[in-house]
Amino acid sequence: MEFADVVMKRRAVRRFEEGGVEREVIERIARLAQRAPSAGFSQGQRLVVVTDPGRRREVARICGEDEDDARGFGPWISECAAQFVPCVSEEVYHRRYR
């Protein structure tokens, strides 16, 4: 599939169906995300996947979901099946390029 096709066929989602997503699907997405390029193959990034409902609510609170809900966006951060949180270590890149 061409990138232009992906962009043109995308859709916005603000409400999720009940039932979640199979763990294998979440793991496949995470594995693909880990293939992102990194400077000098230093791999200074990690991906944290949050699936626990209580922790998803806490991440949503930190991200300001309550304010978004007040503007009519709804609780889409806390209600998703999994949150993919990219984390980056600046120090890893500094060590690589000293």
Side-chain angles (χ1 to χ4, degrees), residues 38-44 89-98:
S38 65
F41 198 67
S42 50
Q43 299 298 311
S89 170
E90 182 179 354
E91 180 58 30
V92 167
Y93 292 106
H94 286 294
R95 279 195 314 259
R96 170 78 173 156
Y97 291 104
R98 281 193 184 137

Side-chain angles (χ1 to χ4, degrees), residues 39-70:
F41 198 67
S42 50
Q43 299 298 311
Q45 76 277 350
R46 297 292 183 268
L47 185 65
V48 176
V49 181
V50 183
T51 57
D52 176 75
R55 290 208 168 116
R56 289 195 328 258
R57 284 190 296 275
E58 181 62 16
V59 169
R61 184 192 65 74
I62 292 168
C63 292
E65 183 177 74
D66 293 338
E67 292 86 22
D68 288 344
D69 197 23

Side-chain angles (χ1 to χ4, degrees), residues 72-91:
F73 290 111
W76 62 277
I77 299 173
S78 61
E79 291 182 0
C80 64
Q83 298 165 340
F84 292 79
V85 182
C87 303
V88 178
S89 170
E90 182 179 354
E91 180 58 30

